[in-house]
Amino acid sequence: MYANATIGTNDTNKSNNMNNTGLNPAGNDLLQLISGGGVSALEAVAASGDAFPPLKAAVIEALAIIKIVKKFQRDKEDWATFSESLIEKIENIVQASCQYNESQVLWTLQPHFENMKYILDQLKEYVMKIQRRYTRRTFYDSEKEQASLQIKLHALPDFWACLCMEESLQEADAKRDVWEDPIITESNTDDKSIERRNVGKRPTITGGVSQVNVLTQAHDFQINDSVFYSANTLNINDNGELEVKIADLVEQSNAEKWLQELKAPSHGKVRERCMPGTREDVLTLIKTWLGDLNEPNIFWLSGSPGSGKTTIASTIVVDSDYFSGQFFFHRDEAELRNSDNLWRHIALDLSLGSNDLRKSITQALETQKANIRGLDISMQFEHLIAKPLQQVFTGRTSVKPLLIVVDALDECDSYEKLLPSLVSWSHLSKSLKLLITSRNYLKIQNRLRSVSVHHNLTTGHGVSTQTSHDLEKYFVARFSEVTGLPPKWPGPAKVSFLVRKAAGLFVWAKSAMDFILYNGGDPEERLDIISADSGEGIDVVDSLYHQVISAALQGLREPEKVALKLVLGSIIIAKNPLRIKDLTELLGVKDALLISIIGQISPILSISNTSYLRVCHQSVTDFLLDAERSQNLWVDPQFYSLCFAGYCLKFMNAKLKFNFFGLKTSHVLNRHIPELKDHIKSVKSTALDHASYFWAHYLQKDGDPSLQLEVQGAVERFLMVHLLHWLEIMSLMGTVNHAAQLLLSAARWSTALKPSLSDFANDANRFVMEFIEPITLAAPHIYLSALPFSPQHSKISMHFLELFQKTVTVKKGKMEDWSEKCFIRLTDHDGEVASVAFSSDGQHIVSGSDDKTVRVWDAQTGQSVMDPLKGHNGWVTSVAFSLNGGHIVSGCRDRSIRVWDAQTGQSVMDPLKGHDDWVTSVAFSPDGCQIVSGSDDKTIRLWDAQTGQSIMDPLKGHKHGVTSVAFSPDGRHIVSGSADKTVRVWDAQIGQSVMNPLKGHNCGVTSVAFSPDGRHIVSGSVDNTVRVWDAQTGQSVMDPLKGHNRNVTSVAFSPDGRHIVSGSDDCTVRVWDVQTGQSVMNPLRNLVCHDTSVECSPITSVAFSPGGRHIISGSADNTVRVWEIQTNPSVMDSFKGHGHHVESVAFAPDGRHIVSGSLDKTMRVWDTQTGQNVIDPLNGHDCAVTSVAFSPDGVHIVSGSHDETVRVWDAQTGQSVMDPLKGHNDWVTSVAFSYDGRHIVSGSYDKTVRVWDAQTGQSVMDPLKGHGLWVSSVAFSPDSQHIISGSFDKTVRVWDAQTGQSVMDPLKGHNRGVTSVAFSPDGRHIVSGSVDNTVRVWDAQTGQSVMDPLKGHSLGVNSVAFSPDGRHIVSGSADKTVRVWDAQTGQTSMDTFTTSCLSTSCTSSIRVVLPILPINSEDENNMDMSDPYKTFFCSSYDKSYLKFCHIHSNWVMLQNAHLLWVPDQNKSGLFWPRTTTVIGCTPTSLQFKNFVHGINWSQCFSS
């Protein structure tokens, strides 16, 4: 196949070699359409009737993506660039496609079009996900998203490269007389042989046969167990056959790709078949049903445990000509007892059995974007089974029956969830047959009996004659198989007796014969044992099991009997099946004894080919766990579980050790360790696997005090000696988060037994959660990074650190107590967690997610307490518990509301439908009788919680979507928040609004809640604020609560009403005091651990626990977190700093505080003695804060800003006390109070000075004009009679405060602009600072300089002020220092405060991070900084490591080696040589004197 023109090898040649020859007219037409470029060109191609269908589909998909992107209102430039890149890519693809004729493009490029379609689908899904975030106004990392999108764009196939590659192959082919060995050679018309091409061999080609060369670059194809690799040549003797074959290849490849998304488990192993000649009555009945299209299409075979249901089902599977799919449930295996796996596996079976079904199921997967696991079971059935079967079988007149077998339905954990879909099978064609076997449970009977042919395998007195004959045949056959028995033994009488004893139970027959014929036993004696019992029915099964186990115990010494029961108990209670070797290792039972025990009880065991042990039948487990039935053989689950926990711990205590895996270096992350999986497998046994993962799950409260004491001792030894060793195991297993949950379980178990042990386990949990990143990423850094940074008062640090002395020493900056408040992190959701709530007793947490599921968790341990609740078809937006904890309500973007049983997870009624758009919020009324829902359709609806009926017309009033709803505590009112920026309160009885909308937010309201006493309402908004309202009047009761710097997404009151919690897209959770509006603790940051880094994730939902001690949060990182809160200020880290340059500072009148204003738009108030923040930052300005000052009484603070406004604040609370003062038409550069507090003066970049009434905020006179350049600083005299102003015209002016007139000539002396001015407290002097690096002091009466300029700063002075007693002057400079001067002598009164910054240039007076400057140190224990932004020199214990390092995320990197992980709070405060202090972060000083790392890391342990 040749292209119609020569294709060049670079972009320049592309246009030059376009097809204009007329060989491809359609292509030429498309080239004309595309020539204009841009979206319009693509739209023309999409509308063209000449476009090749696959190409047209790709263009339409690309246009859909561009249409979505065009609507984005943020990062428009980035999105425009993305659109241009996508357009260019598609244009190139169109141009390349036009080089082929129509038949060629359909088949030669088909694989590439398939690949392109898949990538475009992914790209569209990705863009739609970002669109959903925009809809939620969720913060996201634009740079990261754009990078990801570019990667996806680059993945689009290069069609030009395909053409170039093919052209090269064609040229090579033209030079050869013969082809290389063909992959497909035609041997005859009906048979094609398929083989790999063998380059170099020259086959003989029949003359005159047309051959076609096709480049199959994009895919590997699987056909008839042979694989075609990319760039191979297919040689076929007929073009039509070629097209069909390639179409099949593409179709199969696409199907395989989608079918893999089913992630279906292997079905249960088909058990033994019925012995020939037995069960013929039942088998005939089933076979007759299969052929009868007038009968119901479901056959339900029921029976008692052991009646032979599974054996019959296995026989049908093996013998039936109609068989198409099977699933054998089994309670012992997690995958085979999970109801969610049934229809996915059946779909896979069907796809393998029928090409038509394969296509239909593939289409269903493609339509659902393979998100089948996110659908509930009924929806899985509809999409994967019902619709494909209907598509294929509808309309067919003669159809061979299709048979699906589902065995042991009762062994499914949640079989109730399957019943609706199983019943739905009855609506399908009668030729589609479903065979179900199960016990005769009432729930199953009620649902299946009316839609099925039902046959019950009768046991006991009602056993059929046929069944008795079958049992007789079975017994005779088993006896005849054994040699060495007496002739004709045991005889017809004994066989008849055994038949009667079996009473239709084939499991009894099998177990009895296994027992009688046990190798090494006396058959006659054993038959006599069985014959001695006279029980019937279930009693006979129990009796047999009792006899089997009792016989095994006979003759054993007491320790051996204990061992046998221990083995049996361990098999029964094990969370996962155990191998024989596992039991030997864990239980310490000798091999010989264990093999003997297993042999003795083999009649009730099943042993797999890989030596995994299980009981042979669920009835054995039922018997042993029932104390009444098993009597002295009872397996007490609590006792044996605790016993097994002790053995797991004992085993780990014996095996675990430091550096268990013998890791060679600390410089490599776990995932980069070569051949890690093989190494782990060679070192760690499956017994250690089991013990490490499950030990805490087996801890149970038991009545045996001695056992509890023994296990307590094992737990204590494990935690005190091997905790860190165990974390190595969990690190390399990738289960660190699970380790944290196990520690919580251990803490809970030991609370009453030994509180100190519980405290240690809790502390260990905090250790794991605080350092989850280094522990997860690199096992050696449990010791090298996590342990050294553990709080000095933590139990982990005090207990373990002394054993690891060759680690880095944190001399300064170590936490005293745990700062990370998160102690549970729940990670099972596959999508963003949108909503979380506590149950009323605080025992459980419910969460809803965009993975379409609702999950319920144990609030103490973080364990999931049931399978995900599935049923919604979209993003679950809101969840809530009823007050009594009995039910859960969930709202969804599928416009429905669902109510679930909180104990079983079952849906208790049909979905509540009525909303016309997304349901955004749901809540139960306090009495649980009603449900309220809010929706994007702008309405609120009330529903009867018992019936699901709407109880009144929708509540209308909001102009945009309703985002949040809640009931008042008395149930009489409903509050709603909306994207229309308002909050509304409604009468819950009549649905009427009870007051005007509550207005105040500047953007949409995202969340609302009532206080516990019903007196207040709290609301959160996209305007980044939280507001508190009076629920009676609708008035705001305080200024907005400010602190979040992105959308507030969720708010809630604490149970006592004293606090409010808020979550935000800024990735933090904040707690506020309801009385003061102040933040009462540091924000809780939602950090996310990735492979090599840590980042933050937006908070979507928050709630208090009923006790008020904990907060839960849902997050966009798919997690739910539980936080422990302390609102006592004494325990929090209050040392916070500005995030940008500080522009102005001022003393409070009493000298105890300093206020600072910064380019970060905030003000901060500091304690002058300690340097501590005394209140949270003052937020409100929209731009940089340039000037700040206290009022004379210290009650207020005034600030000026680049936003051209002046603001007045309460100095105690930090709240704004009036609207902004507006009048300046450029930046406000300086502000000050008059000494009587009645007026405020401000200077501006507009060259003017303004005077304002401090009570009303009104301007009291015309602007004061006179300066030639902008005014930089202003101040009142102490008697409030005069105003001074400094300007960049290098002068200071003095004005009459009453008239606004200048009272003297400008004060001149500075050589450059004046930046700051102030009066002395007695009004006699003026101080000024200047960009000329000096400070000057002037006589306020004469304007004369009273002393030489104060010199010392090396850069411009930005701010000056007198101390309250007038004895000192403080100045802040761009030289990164604050200096204090004697106002009488002009001498520096104390050492300079060095407070420098990361950047090489500063313009502010006070900096918040320390200098990182080149330092050449002779001290090998210091770290020498090189690059001022990121690099430093590691002078470690070893000269060979004297290389430059850099900080990547939280890792200190030695070239590509991971040297040390540093906590976030310490990273920015690291001390380097000559560092004297750090303001605004945690000062951190590290000593590397004894630090070992790399290949020497294991020397850190001091044995």
Side-chain angles (χ1 to χ4, degrees), residues 96 248 287-288 291 379 614 686 706 883 1012 1122 1168 1295 1328:
D248 288 343
K287 290 174 183 177
T288 302
M379 294 303 295
R614 299 176 178 86
T686 54
S706 62
L883 193 62
V1122 185
T1168 55
W1295 314 81
S1328 61

Side-chain angles (χ1 to χ4, degrees), residues 388-400:
L389 287 173
Q390 288 166 345
Q391 289 172 5
V392 172
F393 286 89
T394 299
R396 294 191 178 182
T397 54
S398 59
V399 179
K400 180 181 178 181

Side-chain angles (χ1 to χ4, degrees), residues 624-639:
L624 288 171
L625 293 180
D626 189 319
E628 189 175 335
R629 290 168 60 189
S630 53
Q631 300 174 0
N632 63 315
L633 299 179
W634 178 45
V635 172
D636 180 348
Q638 289 187 314
F639 173 82

Side-chain angles (χ1 to χ4, degrees), residues 407-586:
D407 178 61
L409 176 63
D410 53 279
E411 294 195 34
C412 171
D413 274 347
S414 304
Y415 68 82
E416 299 94 337
K417 294 182 179 180
L418 283 172
L419 291 174
S421 57
L422 292 170
V423 170
S424 296
W425 186 281
S426 65
H427 303 307
L428 299 177
S429 166
K430 292 294 182 68
S431 63
L432 305 175
K433 302 288 188 173
L434 175 64
L435 171 63
I436 302 169
T437 77
S438 76
R439 298 187 189 186
N440 199 4
Y441 287 167
L442 183 61
K443 287 183 179 179
I444 298 176
Q445 182 183 129
N446 288 342
R447 297 302 296 269
L448 293 184
R449 175 166 278 178
S450 63
V451 296
S452 68
V453 173
H454 179 217
H455 181 76
N456 186 57
L457 297 174
T458 308
T459 56
H461 292 297
V463 64
S464 69
T465 303
Q466 179 64 52
T467 300
S468 296
H469 288 161
D470 292 341
L471 284 166
E472 182 178 346
K473 290 178 184 177
Y474 174 78
F475 285 124
V476 170
R478 287 292 304 271
F479 281 123
S480 64
E481 291 171 0
V482 182
T483 59
L485 293 176
K488 299 183 180 179
W489 186 86
K494 283 290 186 182
V495 170
S496 297
F497 172 79
L498 291 174
V499 170
R500 290 195 303 275
K501 287 282 289 183
L505 296 174
F506 280 80
V507 70
W508 186 95
K510 181 182 182 303
S511 297
M513 291 306 298
D514 288 345
F515 174 70
I516 294 168
L517 302 178
Y518 170 65
N519 187 23
D522 182 339
E524 293 187 57
E525 181 182 337
R526 289 183 169 235
L527 178 55
D528 289 342
I529 291 173
I530 291 178
S531 301
D533 182 76
S534 60
E536 294 181 358
I538 194 66
D539 292 338
V540 78
V541 175
D542 291 356
S543 177
L544 175 62
Y545 294 153
H546 204 286
Q547 290 164 349
V548 169
I549 300 171
S550 297
L553 291 169
Q554 276 184 354
L556 297 181
R557 295 181 299 111
E558 194 58 36
E560 293 170 335
K561 291 181 180 179
V562 171
L564 187 147
K565 291 196 69 175
L566 178 61
V567 168
L568 193 55
S570 299
I571 293 171
I572 294 291
I573 59 93
K575 299 293 182 183
N576 267 353
L578 296 163
R579 299 189 308 172
I580 296 173
K581 186 179 178 182
D582 297 336
L583 287 172
T584 303
E585 292 186 50
L586 290 172

Side-chain angles (χ1 to χ4, degrees), residues 724-780:
L724 304 184
H725 308 155
W726 170 65
L727 288 177
E728 290 183 46
I729 305 281
M730 303 304 276
S731 172
L732 287 164
M733 286 173 65
T735 53
V736 176
N737 191 65
H738 181 69
Q741 293 179 344
L742 293 177
L743 290 167
L744 284 176
S745 296
R748 191 177 184 183
W749 175 79
S750 56
T751 300
L753 297 171
K754 190 172 184 179
S756 61
L757 180 60
S758 178
D759 291 343
F760 192 89
N762 276 317
D763 201 71
N765 166 264
R766 299 300 279 274
F767 173 76
V768 172
M769 294 306 296
E770 182 87 28
F771 299 108
I772 194 167
E773 182 186 4
I775 295 173
T776 298
L777 298 180

